[in-house]
Amino acid sequence: MKKIFLILLLLVPSLVRAEEMSKKLEKEKYYKYYYLEKKFANTFYKEGENPREFPHQSDIFTYGEKLISSSTKPQIEEDIVEEKIISKYKEKVKIRYLILEDLNSDYAINLQEIEVWNKSTKLNYQITCSNVCSGDLIKSINNNVQSGEYNYITNGTNFVIDLKEEYFPEDITLKIYLASAYGKTLRFHFIANEDGNLNNLYYHSQRNESLAAFKEIDIALKKIEHEERYQEEIKEMEGDKIENGIIVEQSKKYFYKERYYLYYQWEKKYLDGYYQDIHGLEKEEDDFQEREVEKEYIEVPVEVKVPVEVEKVVEREVEKKIEVPIEVEKEVPVEVEKIVVKNVPTIEERVVEIEKKIEIPQKEHQKTNAHLTSNYILEYLSYFVMGIMLKKVSFFKG
């Protein structure tokens, strides 16, 4: 048995998309569009003191007229006009009273004049005498006459000088003018304090002065032994040096002018008309218009089945029958070819040609009988009819 391959033309449905355009009226929103513009206040404000309606600070500023001082360095260094060192200090306790206690001499004491100087300034004062002093003594020792008078005092006398105001002790100098004999000595205890109390030994010195016909005794308090005393109050001064006090802390003070800024608000500037979309601008969501717009649409594609010819090879088995040869009058070798059906462009060319021959083995010098011949003719006719049928199919395709 042999196989025959037939090429059949089949109709297979294929999908084709049909597209149609349609137009519809639809409502669309058109919005009011705007951009933002700065609106400035009419005046400058100190930072943080701007009104609520102008909340934004610009880079535009001016300086105030007053010079501000602060121990805190301003954020913007270029605003600083001057820097100074500031010292916190305690002042030295001042004095008001000078005391000459227990004046003694081995010769008569002739006190001519007493002067008190605050640096280069001569001070007025009030003096009291603890013992009996001559009538004009109090007046004469403060009359700018340094010699030629007779103002004798007894031993053991105390003089208390009231400066009426307080002064820094380091600035005070006491001058005493006397007239006496050569080689004699004047002894007394000098005290300077703030309250006139003999037991308050703030500044004090035991004095032994050699006398002469005329003698000037200078007592500068800055050279006198003393106890360091300072006020409890802490004061502040510019600079890093102090003469009559002690520094407890130093810092810097900055002097600068304050900035006044121009503040602004954002103001909306609207375009005329309504628009669907404007790139770069803001739209007012609540301010819009609805308009009918004609739009073109492509309909959803529809699938349509269209027959398409497809070639298909059909494999077919062909039986080969072999019968006993019968002698006939003539030896007629019968050859049957295999039928192969092909698709050809014309009707005539679509007829199936027999490409292969069916060979029937024969014995040498034997004759074929009529029954064997008729069987092979019938088989040949069956293949021929099949070819005609294939021809009709090809014709339909054409």
Side-chain angles (χ1 to χ4, degrees):
M1 185 179 295
K2 293 187 177 182
K3 294 182 179 179
I4 298 175
F5 296 91
L6 301 178
I7 300 175
L8 301 180
L9 295 178
L10 304 180
L11 294 177
V12 178
S14 177
L15 299 180
V16 177
R17 297 180 181 273
E19 296 183 349
E20 294 184 4
M21 299 295 294
S22 64
K23 294 182 180 182
K24 293 182 181 180
L25 286 175
E26 288 191 358
K27 287 186 178 181
E28 288 193 350
K29 290 182 179 180
Y30 286 73
Y31 293 90
K32 198 75 174 175
Y33 278 83
Y34 64 88
Y35 60 93
L36 295 177
E37 189 174 84
K38 290 180 180 179
K39 181 181 180 182
F40 290 93
N42 294 327
T43 186
F44 290 84
Y45 294 94
K46 189 189 295 186
E47 187 172 4
E49 296 183 1
N50 53 298
R52 289 183 180 179
E53 57 267 28
F54 294 97
H56 305 291
Q57 178 181 301
S58 73
D59 295 332
I60 305 169
F61 68 92
T62 186
Y63 287 109
E65 295 181 359
K66 293 182 179 180
L67 196 63
I68 305 299
S69 64
S70 173
S71 57
T72 303
K73 190 175 184 178
Q75 293 181 350
I76 306 173
E77 291 194 19
E78 66 184 43
D79 294 346
I80 299 174
V81 177
E82 186 179 4
E83 294 182 23
K84 292 182 180 180
I85 296 176
I86 303 300
S87 298
K88 291 183 178 180
Y89 68 97
K90 289 183 177 182
E91 274 188 347
K92 200 159 191 173
V93 174
K94 295 179 178 181
I95 63 166
R96 178 174 174 173
Y97 296 92
L98 305 176
I99 301 171
L100 304 177
E101 181 187 22
D102 194 19
L103 284 159
N104 277 282
S105 177
D106 49 8
Y107 190 79
I109 303 171
N110 186 357
L111 187 58
Q112 298 287 299
E113 191 75 15
I114 295 178
E115 294 177 351
V116 181
W117 293 81
N118 178 42
K119 293 183 177 179
S120 59
T121 303
K122 186 178 179 180
L123 301 177
N124 292 320
Y125 61 84
Q126 184 177 346
I127 190 169
T128 58
C129 178
S130 62
N131 291 334
V132 178
C133 299
S134 60
D136 295 331
L137 184 143
I138 299 300
K139 183 187 290 186
S140 61
I141 61 176
N142 190 21
N143 61 0
N144 295 321
V145 178
Q146 298 174 0
S147 64
E149 297 177 317
Y150 295 94
N151 297 311
Y152 291 97
I153 57 175
T154 59
N155 285 334
T157 300
N158 296 334
F159 283 103
V160 178
I161 302 170
D162 181 2
L163 301 179
K164 299 182 181 180
E165 293 183 20
E166 290 185 338
Y167 298 92
F168 288 113
E170 300 291 313
D171 298 334
I172 298 299
T173 300
L174 176 66
K175 294 184 178 183
I176 303 172
Y177 299 95
L178 298 110
S180 187
Y182 282 102
K184 303 299 178 180
T185 302
L186 177 66
R187 297 173 292 277
F188 63 94
H189 185 207
F190 173 76
I191 300 170
N193 58 37
E194 67 274 24
D195 57 8
N197 189 337
L198 294 177
N199 297 319
N200 182 357
L201 303 180
Y202 181 17
Y203 280 75
H204 67 97
S205 175
Q206 192 66 43
R207 313 294 298 190
N208 292 288
E209 302 288 343
S210 297
L211 298 177
F214 180 80
K215 177 72 175 183
E216 179 182 335
I217 302 172
D218 291 343
I219 303 174
L221 269 64
K222 61 184 177 182
K223 298 179 181 180
I224 299 297
E225 180 183 352
H226 63 279
E227 176 188 353
E228 294 293 345
R229 296 181 185 179
Y230 300 97
Q231 303 286 352
E232 290 298 321
E233 180 186 5
I234 296 179
K235 295 185 176 182
E236 190 174 277
M237 61 170 285
E238 295 179 1
D240 56 355
K241 293 181 180 179
I242 184 169
E243 294 181 0
N244 296 294
I246 181 172
I247 294 173
V248 296
E249 185 183 338
Q250 283 187 330
S251 62
K252 274 190 175 181
K253 183 171 280 189
Y254 303 92
F255 296 85
Y256 61 95
K257 289 187 176 182
E258 288 184 302
R259 289 191 178 196
Y260 287 77
Y261 289 90
L262 196 58
Y263 286 81
Y264 65 91
Q265 62 177 226
W266 286 111
E267 189 175 56
K268 294 180 180 179
K269 295 291 185 179
Y270 289 92
L271 300 183
D272 293 335
Y274 291 80
Y275 302 89
Q276 203 169 20
D277 184 32
I278 299 180
H279 180 70
L281 296 185
E282 299 293 330
K283 67 180 177 182
E284 200 70 74
E285 295 287 350
D286 297 331
D287 190 359
F288 61 88
Q289 292 179 350
E290 285 190 338
R291 301 176 186 175
E292 287 190 341
V293 179
E294 186 181 75
K295 286 194 171 184
E296 289 186 348
Y297 287 91
I298 299 175
E299 294 291 344
V300 177
V302 178
E303 294 181 349
V304 179
K305 293 184 179 179
V306 178
V308 177
E309 293 180 357
V310 177
E311 291 185 352
K312 185 175 182 181
V313 178
V314 178
E315 191 176 283
R316 184 181 182 88
E317 292 185 352
V318 179
E319 292 184 357
K320 181 174 72 173
K321 296 181 180 181
I322 301 175
E323 295 183 4
V324 178
I326 300 173
E327 291 184 359
V328 292
E329 293 182 6
K330 291 182 180 181
E331 277 186 12
V332 181
V334 180
E335 295 181 356
V336 180
E337 294 182 352
K338 291 182 181 181
I339 300 172
V340 178
V341 181
K342 293 185 179 179
N343 288 330
V344 290
T346 64
I347 296 175
E348 290 77 15
E349 292 174 335
R350 294 179 185 271
V351 178
V352 177
E353 295 176 356
I354 299 174
E355 293 180 345
K356 294 183 180 180
K357 295 180 180 180
I358 301 175
E359 295 180 358
I360 302 174
Q362 298 178 6
K363 290 182 179 181
E364 189 177 356
H365 303 296
Q366 288 182 345
K367 293 182 180 181
T368 306
N369 57 35
H371 178 72
L372 181 61
T373 302
S374 63
N375 285 342
Y376 279 97
I377 291 171
L378 290 172
E379 188 175 356
Y380 176 81
L381 290 175
S382 68
Y383 284 109
F384 181 78
V385 171
M386 186 181 293
I388 295 300
M389 290 176 67
L390 290 174
K391 170 183 144 183
K392 290 181 179 182
V393 174
S394 298
F395 178 78
F396 177 77
K397 182 177 180 182

